[in-house]
Amino acid sequence: MLARLRFPVERSRGRRYPEPEHPYRNAFQRDRDRIVHSRAFRRLEAKTQVFTPGLSDHFRNRLTHTIEVAQIARTLASVLQLDEDLTEALALGHDIGHPPFAHAGEEALNAEMQRFGDHFDHNLHALRIIESFEQRYARFPGLNLSFEVREGMVKHSHDFGPGEQPQLDAFLPGLRPVLEGQLIDLADEIAYNTADLDDAWSAGLITAQDIAGAVPQYAEIHEAVETQFPGASDREQFYEGLRQLIDALVSGLIEGTVRAAEASGAANFEDVRACPRRLVAFTPEAAATSMVLKRFLYTRVYASPALGADRRQAMTRISELFRFFVKSPDRLPAGYAQQAAAEPAHRVVCDYLAGMTDAFFRRTYEAMLGPAAMPPTAAPAVATPPTS
Ligand code: MG
């Protein structure tokens, strides 16, 4: 397949702080393990993916979503003969920069930061977590991950040119990430599109017929399932169809990537980096399905009144707590309060809020500002404040 384009672990640009080799785990295997053992990774369990808990025990949270992305990405890497360890490390780390309350949290933090001429971006926040906030090693700050893992995280969803993001100049602006890094964005897209269909179906927001009406490829799949299993329940038919949809998207991504790689003439990972465009791509049919799925989910789920109330509430509460701490930085935990005296307070407050789980946000809000209506939160997974 694409073994010629695999990134060879021995060619890694290495870690910021040099470390001795491990006797039986290579650099990317160690990176994967470091991410799994980080506090930021464990906090994903108590962060909303799309649906806040309460209505069902079966909705994805950011941790189970991450596991689904890793599973799809590993399959892709294995079939394409790319480096599975690098792919897995990137998939497991791809969402650790997400704030509480999903996109509502990100939007609210970004809006607050813009009042100070700054902004919030979850990929940059992930970089700050792995480079400085995690405190696990006596010899260096952060997790000291390999260059390719850090690069993959900052280029997870978009590439950037020289000078576009000066704080990222060390991460090869103008060059594509290696194929293992390119896989994550579309593995993520397959995972969240199909998982959100599942969760929205479980929440009673949509039916299989609704999806079939909007997504031609799903309509074909659903019709075949109905013919093949006429006696199956709605639930069984829905899951049969959903599974086949994931398969079709993953197969479309494998085929599209092999075609794009062949057409590019790339012979090794350096050629992949120099290509003007990313080579990981859907076939036109899978790309069309993914696009209409996104559109369907946006109108029927993300922008639905059912999710809108939680979203508005979460954004309001985040803005309120953000403004409270900017005004009263002395109410921050000691370490952050000290930092806020030396650096712009809005940046420190943003880092503090972005690291919170939904449940820790709720407890902090109530301790500072009193009880208030808020979207339901999962049981706290970690009882101590998210200081790292
Ligand atoms: Mg994701």
Side-chain angles (χ1 to χ4, degrees), residues 34 37-39 42 133-138 140-143:
R34 286 175 185 200
H37 287 276
S38 68
R39 287 172 46 140
R42 289 197 293 283
F133 300 158
E134 286 284 331
Q135 302 158 6
R136 309 189 62 83
Y137 299 89
F140 44 77
L143 303 178

Side-chain angles (χ1 to χ4, degrees), residues 49 62 65-66 69 94-95 98 156 188 192:
Q49 174 66 17
R62 226 162 251 289
H65 158 71
T66 293
V69 174
H94 89 281
D95 266 356
H98 270 285
H156 159 49
D188 189 24
Y192 66 66

Side-chain angles (χ1 to χ4, degrees), residues 270-287:
E270 281 157 330
D271 293 347
V272 170
R273 280 196 173 293
C275 274
R277 293 176 51 194
R278 292 189 174 208
L279 297 179
V280 170
F282 284 120
T283 55
E285 191 193 15

